[in-house]
Structures are given as C-alpha cells and as structure tokens.
Amino acid sequence: MARGKLRIYLGAAPGVGKTYAMLSEAHRRIERGTDCVVAFVEHHHRPRTEVMLHGLEQVPRKELDYRGGVFTEMDVDAVLRRAPAVVLVDELAHTNVPGSRNAKRWQDVEELLSAGIDVISTVNIQHLESLGDVVESITGVRQRETVPDEVVRRADQIELVDMSPQALRRRMAHGNIYQPDKVDAALSNYFRPGNLTALRELALLWVADRVDAYLTEYRSEHRVSAIWGSRERIVVGLTGGPEGRTLIRRAVRLAEKGAGGEVLAVYISRSDGLTSASPKELAVQRTLMEDLGGTFHQVVGDDIPAALLDFSRGVNATQIVLGVSRRRSWQYVFGPGVGATVARESGPDLDVHLITHDEAGKGRGLPVARGARLGRARVLWGWLVGVLGPVLLTWLLTSAAPDVGLANDMLLFLSLTVAAALVGGLFPALASAVVGSLLLNWFFTPPVHTFTIADPTNIVAIVIFVGVALSVASVVDLATRRTHQAARLRAESEILSFLAGNILRGETTLEALLERVRETFGMESAAMLERTDDTTPWTCAGSVGPRPAEIPEDADVDVPVGDHMALSLRGRVLPAADRRVLAAFAAQAAVVLDRQRLRSEADRAKELAEGNRIRTALLAAVSHDLRTPLAGIKAAVSSLRSDDVEWSEEDRAELLAAIEEGADRLDHLVDNLLDMSRLQTGTVTPIIRETDLDEVVPMALGGVPEDSVELDIPETLPMVYVDRGLLERAVANVVENAVKYSPPGEKVLVSASALADRVEVRVVDRGPGVPDETKNRIFEPFQRYGDSPRGVGVGLGLAVARGFVEAIDGTLRAEDTPGGGLTMVLAVPTSPERERERERSKEPDLPTAASS
C-alpha cells in the first residue's frame, strides 16, 4: 500500500488563519469530488472558523476518562475504519490525554499516512523541537508541546500562512481570535509586535531553508549544473594567509545587503601531503567564519581554480570573493594566477569579486609545509635550465658577443649551473656543469671546435670551473633542501603544537580530532579502530567521512597505536614523511579516547558516590529520626494498654494526641523520603495546567499553626502554569522550614507578586538567617542548619521543595531578610492566556494564546 501524503499549514503565531486555510482546502477538494473528512479540528469558538466546518463530515471523537474528567481525542481506529481519501487533523504538536493510542498527535498522523490516507494538518513554528531554545529566548516561555523537525520536513507540501504583526494585532483587537476580556492581556504579552516580528522571521527562514533543500534535491536528481540564483550564496576562497580574515568580513557584509544571504568559506588543499597553509591561521579563520554565521569547508584539489569553481557550482553559489594575489609582478610570468583564472572561467552566472588587502603584492614566500623533495615541476625546470640553458648561452655568445673572453664565458656558464641548482637541485646542476664544460672546450677554448686544449692554463681553468660548479651546486642544493626541511618541520610543529594545546585543554573530542586528521592530509575518511585482543574482531571507536575502514587491512593508511588500536585512513597512500605527523595524531587520538572513557567512568563513579552518600544519610535518618516518633508512639500505646494504671480521660486524650502527633511526624518524614527518591530516580512527571495561586498557598499551610503565618496574596495575580500538587508540596515544605526557625511570637510572611512572565512567592522569616556561603548547601539532601534539634526532620524539606519547583520550570533561592532572617523566593511561570478552559487539553502550550 502506498504511503499517504502529508500537507502542513505552518504559521508563525496563533490566529494567522492556519485552521481556516485547512478547512478552505477541504471544501475545494470536496467540490472536486474528493472523499474528505474531519478527524479533529479545533475552532476555539471563533465564528468564522466554526462556520467553515459546516458541510464537512466529522468523525466522532473518542472520549477518555482522566483524573475525574472526561476528555475527547481523535479516534484513530474510527478514521481507519472510515478510510477516507483525505483527513483533516488540527494541531500536529498536540499531546494526547494519557490512555490514548499514542502519546503525541503526530504519531497518530503517522499511522494514518502508513495506511495510505492523505493528511492535512497545522502547526505553529514555535512547536518545532529544534527551535525550543530560540522561541524561549523570544517569548520567555518554554514550549512543552513540540513535534520533531523531521516529521514536518518529511511533509510532501508545506504552506506558510503569513500575516504581518500589525494585521494580526488588529484581528486580535477586533475580537476575531479571543473574547474581549482576554484581548488586552494577549496584546500586552505574547502578541507584542516584537515577539510577532521575531516569530514571523523565524518561520520565513525555516520555510526558506526547506525550499532550498527541495531545490538542491531537484538539481541533484535532474543533474542541473548551471547556477540558479534563487538566493545570494557567497563563497570565500581562502589561501590560509592573513588576508583571509579581511575576505571573510567583506563577504559577510555583501551577504547582509541581501535578505537571506549565506556565506561559505572554502580552503583548497593539495593532495600531496600536508597543506601549505598555517593550521593556526586556518583555525582562526574557521572560528571567525562560524562566529559570523557562515560555514567553513575544506576540499582537496590540485587544480585550485577548477576545484573552487566546482565547489561553488555544487553549492549553487552566486558570488565568489577572492583576494588580490600576493605574488610579485615578475611571478606572473608563470601564469595568470588563481583570481584571473577563476574570473575567466566562472561564466556569466557567477560573479567574482577581487578584494584588495594589505598583503597584496608582497610575495607569497616559501611554502610553509612543503615536502623536502622539490617536486616534479621544479626538477623539470632545473633540467631545462641545466641542459638547454648552456646551449642557448653558447648561441648568444657566439653570435652576439664572441669576444667577451674565456674568463667571462666561464662565469656566465657558472651562473647557469648555480641557477640549475637553485631550481632543480643537485643532479640538474651536475648536468649543467658537464654540458657547460664541454661547450666551453668546444666553442671557446683554443683550438675551437675540437676537444683538445692547446694552452695548459686553459686546462686548469676548465678543471677549476668544473670543481667550482660542482661545489656551488652541492652547497646550493643542500641549502635548498635544508630550507624546505625546516619549513616542513615548522609546519609540523605548528600542527602538533595546536593539536597538543587543544588536547591538554580538553577542547577536542575524538570525532573532531579525526576530522582534523582527514582535513590535514586530504583523506576521504578516518576511523579509530580497536579490539580487546588478537582474536576478537575490530570495532570502530569513532569515525568521520564516508565509508570508513572497518578493519586496518581495508585502509589506504594504517597507523598502529599499541597492540590493539589503529588509526585507519581512506583516500590515498601517504608518503613516509607524512606518517611521522600522522603517528602523533594517532597517539593523541588514543589519549582523547582514553580521556573520554575516563571522564565517563568518573561521572559514573560520582553518581555512585552520591548515591552511596544518600544511602548512608538515609540509614542515619532511619536509625535516629524515624525511630524517635516510633519510640514516642510505642511508649504511648504501651501506657494505654497497661492494666495496672487507671488513666483519666484527660491523660488518655493526651496520650492519644501524642500518638497522633508522632504518626503525623512519621508520615511527614516518610513522604519526604519518598519524594526525594522520586526526584533522584527522575520519576516525577508534572501535570502542567493553569492554577490560581490563591487556591494553592492556603492549602499548603495546613501543617503549621494557624497564627504562625501571615498571608499577602493579591487577587489580581495572573494564573500560574504549574503542577498544583507539586507546587503545594514545595510551598508547604518551605513554610514549615521558615516556621521552625522563626522566633516565638514572630509570624512568617508569605507574599506574592507578578514580575514579567513569572510570579514570585516570598516566604519571609525573622530567624537567625543563613550565611552567603551556606545558602546553596541548605538545598542539598540531609542537610540541617544550625542547632536544629534531632528528630524534627531528616533534612530533606528544602531539597524536595527545590526539586519539585525545578520540575515545574520554576526556581527556588534563598535571600537575606532586611533586618535579619531568611527569605525564600519561589518563582513560577505565569499561565498562557487561552480561549477555552485548560481541562479540555486540546491546545498546545503557548504563553498567552492558542493556535489556530
């Protein structure tokens, strides 16, 4: 059976008209004869949306009993039995009532799609899981009902329902979204112009990225190589030189001139071993690029202009930013340079910008990390200078300057030998000395045109010439090799120094280190393999790149680390000179892997130590604090059961009161122990709903004397968004702690006030207070401060209170009371405004609005 198709209406905020657009699409499809039904749609009592439901078949909802109430959810089984062609499911991110078929509505939608039914749904941008932190920073409220981004990205169609913030606020003011009594609160909270503008931009950018992904997929499937300038995408070509920072900043400024511009920095490394750029400078430029919002890429290519153009066309770039060449004027005789070549071959659809900088025309200098060998091109040029150079010089001297003199002729030939040594090394220089001596003997030493020498002094001159030429060639070649060796060692030291620094600071993970190896040596993939002994199979501890080697024998480069670990690379065979640095990388990778495992073991040991500490404290509490009320209960019961004492009614009542007091104390201690156990095991599951603080705080004071607390809770406070039971227990523990430490006759003040998107409950006592260095420690389990008597608690009250408060997205902190004492400040989030009551649980969590 073919999978159904999913269409999603995406909105930036509630009220933009997603549900209305979905219902309009349903009417259009019904008019075309499509079998379309409504599985679940919430109109939120909005008249215009409610009217759109007329004429549409609605599948009856399923009723569920939960906590004494009746709730309705989408009946997935009924929809599957009805088997329509298209079904409408509103609010994709909704959390179903416990006891439903699935926990989330998007899971219900997946079932319908798997059954071959097309689904039309709605979702707001703030409910995408990856945007939770961004939305929280904008609105100040964490969205609890979310849908994975991948679910929305897999949709066959995504349509953005857009509306300007001003138009949405007008719609709100006209009463088209909420009832009149809720309009002012909504406009001053969630529907502020800044919030709506930021959410709208977030939605537009997310949809633009999705469209770009569609475009990339289409171009790949249809093999489109031409650039489609659908958006500005700027590629910065980096050489690893200091001018790269200037180029990156200029490219970012270019991108900012066009909406939605994107910047990609790319460094082309050659495939002949270590790169010719400073790793330290490249790392700085990578960090700068990422800080400015772009991405950094490194690709391998011997033909730098071709590789840069291929990369630019592959990412559908519209502009390339390059720096003016650092080569000196005379160096252009070897070619036009990268910038000119890229500009010539870029074509009409790719603009090339050449940016001036301070390093322009100052020369590139010696390569920092070239190999000790001179390379094929230089050796070839050396042979041409050493062999053809003397021939051309002979022709010039015989035709243009025949009377220069033998001494000057020898100096000219000697200069060619030195040039051959500088360019091509020792052997081209030797060839130049031999060819030059033969040509000097034949053309310039009397008798000419013979290899005989008439004057003995000329024989000495020829011999000296050959000796000097060979000596100079050897020295020059040796100096050249030493220079390149020093440059290579400098590059290696920079790599190793940078690597060691990151390792020692603990900044590098195994995957990041392997990626560094892959980029440095221009390899396709890198993997760290290990096994326990010589007979067990290899396992991969970490890898980067496509098709990593599974065993060392499959790799192009294999560097063993100890007896049972190996660094395996795929891509090409490296020369022996590069393996020294690679061995250092392999050793560091082993260190990183060991460090990660030691850190994991340390974390586990810390958890075990914490658990052991809590168990030890629990045993101490059980051995003393729990036994104290039990002892009192047992003594009172034994007294009542005594046959040899006749108790009066007053004494009997006193003993019964002591039993009740001990049982209450024991119940309180056990409750705290059980609550702490739930917090430690992570089994506290809050049920968040709108709650009036006036209903919670008075209920939390049942465990303290009536005249010990003074309440100041204004009726005008906004509703809070909490689990009522957890908040009540937290307030009760804090108040009981304050009463316990308050002086006799002093009341504890419990007040509340609204602050931004939070409500603060302040519990003020006039007790001894707590020093600043102890304020955080009093919230740890099994901690009692000062001279609190044994037997009145196990030191869990504040720890449980903070745990419960944090479970409902609140905070609990201690402050000094002016004039002496301690103030506990409990802050909880305010409730979002809703069109209907929270008990129906049909809306996603929003700060002051419902989705549409």
Side-chain angles (χ1 to χ4, degrees), residues 629 632-638 640 654-664:
I633 294 173
K634 180 174 177 56
V637 171
S638 299
L640 288 174
E654 184 177 349
L655 289 174
L656 290 175
I659 294 174
E660 184 178 9
E661 181 183 355
D664 290 340

Side-chain angles (χ1 to χ4, degrees), residues 39-40 59-64 70-76 94-103 105 108 145 840-842:
F40 191 98
V59 177
R61 301 182 183 181
K62 184 178 181 179
E63 294 186 351
L64 297 169
V70 179
F71 305 91
T72 61
E73 291 287 1
M74 179 175 64
D75 193 338
V76 180
H94 171 74
T95 301
N96 293 330
V97 173
S100 301
R101 183 188 187 99
N102 295 300
R105 184 166 292 164
D108 296 336
E145 291 189 330
R840 299 185 65 184
S841 298
K842 291 297 180 287

Side-chain angles (χ1 to χ4, degrees), residues 22 93 182 204 221 232 411 448 460 541 548 561 571 577 636 737 747:
M22 178 179 66
K182 296 185 177 182
L204 291 171
E221 291 178 352
E232 290 297 331
L411 290 176
V448 296
V460 176
V561 184
N737 185 78
K747 291 186 177 182

